[in-house]
Amino acid sequence: MTLTWLHLKVHFVLSEIIMDIQQFLGLFILLSIAVLFIQYYKRRWPVANFPPGPTGWPFIGTILSIRKEGFIRKIADKLIPQYGKIFSLMQDVPLVIVTGYDVINEVFQSNKGFDFASRKEPMHILQLHNPKKLGLFLADYSERWQQQRRFALSTLRGFGFGKTSFERKITDEVSLLLSHLKDLARVPQDLSTLLTSGVANVMCDTFLGCHYDHNDIEFQHILHVMEESFEIHAGKKSLVLDSVPISRPFLKQHAQKIIDLYEEWYAFLMNKVAEHQKSFVADSEPRDFIDCYLAKGLEEPDIFTIEDLKYVLSDMFAGSTDTTANTLKFALLYMVMNPDVQEKVHQESMRVVGTSRLPCLEDRDKMPYTAATIYEIQRLSSIAHYIVRCATVDTTLSGYSIPKGTNVICNIWSLHLDPNLWPDPERCDPTRHLNDKGEIVKSQHVLPFGAGRRMCMGEALAKMELFLFFSSLMHQFKFHLPPGREPPSLDHIPGFTSSPFPFEVIIEEYL
Ligand code: HEM
């Protein structure tokens, strides 16, 4: 009897202790969760009056909204009705998405363009392959970046970018491309590799002082490495890697794959630099961009280092090849989908150029329909469909408070396809950009090269290349879809800039 009573007593005391422990643990867990949420909320809403948006969750932020919708434009279409044209998301750090010309223009021009002149691409992957944020594209707004940009721009101008003195380099490549196409006539072809090779060779010549045969295995391999690194970097797994820190231990292999690709790309560039260093003669006529940079490095060795050169070269080369080639691929796609426009471009080139030569830069002003078509393709394709900037100081944007270091993403795609600005926005209609006299009229609402302090450095060169490649292709060949095939998709594959899905065309040479 006593034993049972004692037993019960012990049991009672023990259960009380267990209950106390359970209560304590429960309270501890609840408190930890509360602290976690408070910390998350503090990071999610860094200042009062921060742009609204979905709150998200600790550890994963708002990745669920991002993953479901994919491209920024689709996210914006979904969230704008609820939060307005400026809203925020949480991608490891808060970021603000802006839509509409007025706000985008404010980002580019605010305080003479200074307030949003930094760049802070998300995030983790960048730290893996460019931890010091050197070079041009990804660099913060800093004295060092300004010096690199000023030097690169003046060197490019010295080479004659945007002027007829540089034209020859491009027309040589155009002629090579046309001769390849003649061999491919009448059989369905995917022309993306040839287009990328043609554009890349202009850059090889200018920056690296070399030229490749289109079939060269090393050349094709390195272009593939460049494209693949961008494509994987822009893919969904990378988005998770960048946005959700707790995913990183599980995505190590993926991260390593990206690093390996970047390292291979950088090794290719650094090999070219090493070859130049061996044969470089100070005070002699520079052979290309690398020589100019090495000479500058002798004058200011702390600023123009070999490490800086690696990232500057990568930004110039990859930034110019990927963008221009992707625009040309979309140009071809829109032309096969709009044969009437293609025919008009061809007719204009026949009228102005005739049959005895290829189009040249002097023809550009006399071919407004062609220029308007290129402009329309840039609007429709929006290959740089969003532009990332970062606040250099604590500032405001359309009345909202934006703390220093906040990423701001300009939704260019929505601007280019806004039905209030462009009736029937998805229709390819170059005449939107022509006035009553048939002259081309540029719109402030078409911003393929960005604007302000971080605006594209290669705009003049890109326009030359686009005109010479595009007008020559339209002058010499008719492109159409293989009979009986489904029309190709106009969707985009994300990358550094986006590209069309692979498609084949039939080439017919005009005789
Ligand atoms: C169709 C062709 C091209 C398109 C659509 C394009 C588009 C862009 C865009 C949207 C930006 C960001 C601008 C901003 O933040 O406001 C940019 C930056 C840049 N582009 Fe281009 N680009 C093209 C061709 C080129 C070429 C040919 C070069 C080099 C010769 C080049 C070099 C650069 C560099 C270095 C930057 C970074 C500038 C900085 O952050 O200071 N781009 N480009």
Side-chain angles (χ1 to χ4, degrees):
M1 179 78 172
T2 328
L3 207 66
T4 317
W5 183 85
L6 234 177
H7 184 247
L8 272 175
K9 179 85 181 163
V10 169
H11 184 75
F12 180 71
V13 171
L14 271 179
S15 3
E16 284 224 317
I17 291 174
I18 288 171
M19 267 176 64
D20 281 352
I21 292 175
Q22 272 177 346
Q23 270 177 356
F24 174 77
L25 271 179
L27 205 68
F28 178 75
I29 290 171
L30 271 179
L31 268 175
S32 307
I33 292 176
V35 169
L36 209 72
F37 269 90
I38 291 168
Q39 276 179 347
Y40 173 74
Y41 275 83
K42 269 189 173 163
R43 289 182 59 230
R44 173 69 183 93
W45 307 108
V47 285
N49 194 30
F50 194 66
T55 304
W57 298 92
F59 297 120
I60 60 167
T62 53
I63 187 76
L64 297 177
S65 326
I66 301 173
R67 278 215 74 171
K68 252 194 280 171
E69 303 306 329
F71 276 120
I72 292 291
R73 179 186 165 208
K74 291 187 193 157
I75 299 172
D77 286 350
K78 172 131 183 271
L79 296 182
I80 284 172
Q82 203 177 342
Y83 299 107
K85 286 192 169 180
I86 308 179
F87 63 86
S88 64
L89 292 170
M90 183 71 178
Q91 197 188 1
D92 192 17
V93 292
L95 55 103
V96 173
I97 317 276
V98 301
T99 298
Y101 177 73
D102 292 342
V103 203
I104 290 179
N105 194 41
E106 203 181 328
V107 172
F108 289 146
Q109 309 301 346
S110 165
N111 190 12
K112 299 196 175 124
F114 170 73
D115 282 5
F116 295 96
S118 246
R119 237 188 263 285
K120 188 167 133 199
E121 282 278 322
M123 261 136 231
H124 179 65
I125 296 174
L126 161 65
Q127 277 155 15
L128 295 176
H129 77 89
N130 184 357
K132 295 189 203 159
K133 296 183 76 184
L134 296 176
L136 296 163
F137 195 84
L138 294 170
D140 281 327
Y141 184 83
S142 63
E143 182 57 29
R144 195 179 194 88
W145 162 77
Q146 288 186 61
Q147 284 168 310
Q148 304 291 338
R149 182 170 165 120
R150 263 199 303 271
F151 168 75
L153 263 176
S154 70
T155 306
L156 299 186
R157 285 199 194 109
F159 286 161
F161 269 30
K163 298 194 200 120
T164 40
S165 55
F166 193 78
E167 187 173 359
R168 184 67 197 276
K169 275 194 203 305
I170 305 174
T171 48
D172 283 352
E173 279 312 317
V174 171
S175 303
L176 197 64
L177 174 68
L178 297 179
S179 67
H180 278 293
L181 293 187
K182 282 182 187 169
D183 298 337
L184 302 176
R186 296 190 181 277
V187 182
Q189 302 289 338
D190 181 342
L191 299 183
S192 32
T193 306
L194 274 176
L195 292 174
T196 308
S197 308
V199 172
N201 249 336
V202 178
M203 303 307 157
C204 282
D205 195 344
T206 312
F207 293 108
L208 315 179
C210 58
H211 185 274
Y212 288 95
D213 188 86
H214 284 201
N215 300 320
D216 186 290
I217 292 174
E218 185 200 4
F219 185 47
Q220 285 311 329
H221 176 69
I222 205 64
L223 292 181
H224 175 72
V225 166
M226 186 187 80
E227 285 179 337
E228 202 187 357
S229 62
F230 289 152
E231 222 173 289
I232 297 183
H233 193 157
K236 284 187 177 165
K237 265 193 193 170
S238 302
L239 183 68
V240 177
L241 195 66
D242 268 335
S243 317
V244 183
I246 50 163
S247 72
R248 286 170 198 164
F250 307 101
L251 290 173
K252 273 192 176 153
Q253 255 186 337
H254 181 73
Q256 192 56 48
K257 187 165 182 192
I258 301 178
I259 298 173
D260 290 347
L261 286 166
Y262 274 116
E263 287 309 325
E264 192 174 350
W265 165 243
Y266 291 141
F268 165 77
L269 296 176
M270 292 317 282
N271 262 339
K272 298 288 171 205
V273 172
E275 282 168 18
H276 278 68
Q277 281 174 307
K278 276 187 213 147
S279 53
F280 176 72
V281 182
D283 299 328
S284 66
E285 187 64 21
R287 294 162 291 185
D288 48 43
F289 186 86
I290 296 182
D291 268 2
C292 295
Y293 202 97
L294 293 176
K296 189 72 178 167
L298 294 178
E299 286 169 26
E300 292 178 68
D302 295 339
I303 308 285
F304 295 92
T305 68
I306 297 298
E307 196 186 6
D308 286 272
L309 174 58
K310 169 172 137 181
Y311 293 104
V312 168
L313 263 188
S314 171
D315 287 349
M316 297 296 272
F317 190 97
S320 54
T321 303
D322 182 80
T323 48
T324 314
N326 281 344
T327 309
L328 285 173
K329 290 176 206 171
F330 270 112
L332 195 59
L333 177 59
Y334 277 104
M335 289 306 96
V336 293
M337 298 294 278
N338 296 277
D340 52 327
V341 177
Q342 184 182 168
E343 179 60 24
K344 282 184 192 152
V345 175
H346 172 70
Q347 288 305 337
E348 185 176 66
S349 74
M350 293 311 280
R351 246 187 347 268
V352 174
V353 178
T355 49
S356 58
R357 64 176 177 90
L358 288 173
C360 65
L361 278 185
E362 255 185 43
D363 300 321
R364 191 159 46 171
D365 289 345
K366 295 174 227 145
M367 295 169 68
Y369 189 83
T370 306
T373 305
I374 296 172
Y375 201 53
E376 176 70 343
I377 286 158
Q378 290 202 280
R379 179 188 74 80
L380 281 166
S381 61
S382 299
I383 56 152
H385 52 270
Y386 65 87
I387 294 177
V388 184
R389 295 293 191 82
C390 177
T392 46
V393 286
D394 290 344
T395 181
T396 56
L397 194 56
S398 291
Y400 288 110
S401 302
I402 309 288
K404 178 179 175 178
T406 307
N407 274 330
V408 176
I409 296 187
C410 301
N411 180 1
I412 299 294
W413 203 345
S414 294
L415 183 65
H416 287 179
L417 295 179
D418 183 346
N420 298 317
L421 298 169
W422 315 103
D424 196 0
E426 315 256 352
R427 190 164 52 90
C428 177
D429 178 7
T431 60
R432 302 175 196 272
H433 311 291
L434 295 171
N435 65 15
D436 294 347
K437 294 181 202 151
E439 296 156 341
I440 184 155
V441 186
K442 296 282 170 82
S443 162
Q444 59 184 0
H445 302 123
V446 181
L447 292 172
F449 299 101
R453 291 196 189 207
R454 296 302 288 252
M455 188 180 175
C456 176
M457 289 171 48
E459 181 181 2
L461 170 67
K463 285 180 172 166
M464 278 171 83
E465 284 192 282
L466 290 177
F467 176 77
L468 291 169
F469 273 97
F470 179 71
S471 60
S472 303
L473 287 170
M474 295 299 117
H475 180 254
Q476 294 285 298
F477 300 103
K478 182 175 186 164
F479 299 90
H480 57 87
L481 293 172
R485 293 264 181 100
E486 287 283 306
S489 162
L490 292 172
D491 276 349
H492 291 215
I493 303 177
F496 177 68
T497 57
S498 50
S499 54
F501 281 85
F503 63 98
E504 288 188 332
V505 295
I506 296 211
I507 308 162
E508 270 179 50
E509 190 177 356
Y510 289 112
L511 297 172

